[in-house]
Amino acid sequence: MKFIKTPVKGMCDMLPSDMRLREHVLSMIKKSYGQYGFMQIETPIVEHIENLTSKQGGDNEKLIFKVMKRGADLQRAIDKGTGEYADNGLRYDLTVPLARYYACNKEKLPSPFKALQMGNVYRADNPQKGRFRQFTQCDIDILGDDSNLAEIELITATASMLSQIFAEIDVEGFTIHINDRRMLRSIIDRAVNVLVVADNSKFGLIGPCATCSLSRINRIITGIHGREDILKDFEPYRHKFLFADNYIPDNPELVGNFEAFAEE
């Protein structure tokens, strides 16, 4: 059998010089966040398939590296014909494992709990230039405190960490972009003048199509997504919109206004 010496597509080897630089940066991250009271935890890279497909991961749930059942369990699934052949999967981010970790260990942890995670995640994507199927993610979270002060601390701690790292390479000044669905809802309310009658919409009167498209604005500007993506988000909800004072189930003017607002 032929021996393949190159890494699997979307994966990469790291030379000693790269590892030294990487470990130096990671140590700075740990030290900086530690000064704000964040405690490092670790979760397994393999997670229950039920957790990974619980609708918490969005589009990432389509990119799961699944781990097949083994032995008798696999044979039963095959015999059943409609069963799930996988019982586990590789984590695609650190959020889902954190939710399980906190639910399992909450009684042993302080409240609020400041968690720091750094580890590899895996996505069964078709990698483009500069993108990988395995990459390291760093997350900080404050659990047990839903106040704005917790949000401010997350931003402050991250700004402090970046300042320390950039100072080593003489980079001065940077901008932190804040993404909050509540802000998008407010923008849509004021600028689009449209109400959405969406069944069970977790965004209240603002439909998920509008919020999703505005979330893509940066990608549209950089050319990753285009106008067709906006319309794709909007189309499933077109018949549920109220525009001005009239119910218009299929109004091209509404789509035009939505597009125009997104371009602004």
Side-chain angles (χ1 to χ4, degrees), residues 11 14 26 46 60 73 77 85 96 117 123 136 151 160 165 178 192-193 198 211 229 241 248-249 259:
M11 312 286 186
M14 297 196 74
L26 291 179
V46 179
N60 291 330
D73 289 338
Y85 296 158
V96 173
Q117 296 183 88
R123 296 181 186 175
T136 301
E151 300 289 344
S160 175
I165 292 176
I178 300 175
V192 183
N193 188 28
T211 313
D229 294 298
F241 273 71
I248 305 175
E259 275 196 283

Side-chain angles (χ1 to χ4, degrees), residues 8 22 34 70 92 129 136 142 169 190 214 228:
V8 172
R22 174 183 171 177
R70 279 90 37 217
Y92 46 73
K129 183 178 180 181
T136 301
I142 300 179
I169 54 176
R190 291 175 178 273
L214 285 173
E228 66 277 2

Side-chain angles (χ1 to χ4, degrees), residues 123-177:
R123 296 181 186 175
D125 201 353
N126 183 23
Q128 307 297 318
K129 183 178 180 181
R131 296 174 66 87
F132 299 93
R133 289 173 171 170
Q134 172 187 299
F135 54 94
T136 301
Q137 205 170 69
C138 176
D139 278 12
I140 56 169
D141 298 272
I142 300 179
L143 299 97
D145 183 355
D146 60 358
S147 70
N148 289 333
L149 291 178
E151 300 289 344
I152 293 171
E153 185 168 6
L154 291 171
I155 296 169
T156 303
T158 299
S160 175
M161 179 270 294
L162 291 174
S163 296
Q164 293 179 40
I165 292 176
F166 289 158
E168 284 205 356
I169 54 176
D170 297 323
V171 173
E172 296 182 0
F174 56 86
T175 301
I176 294 178
H177 295 270

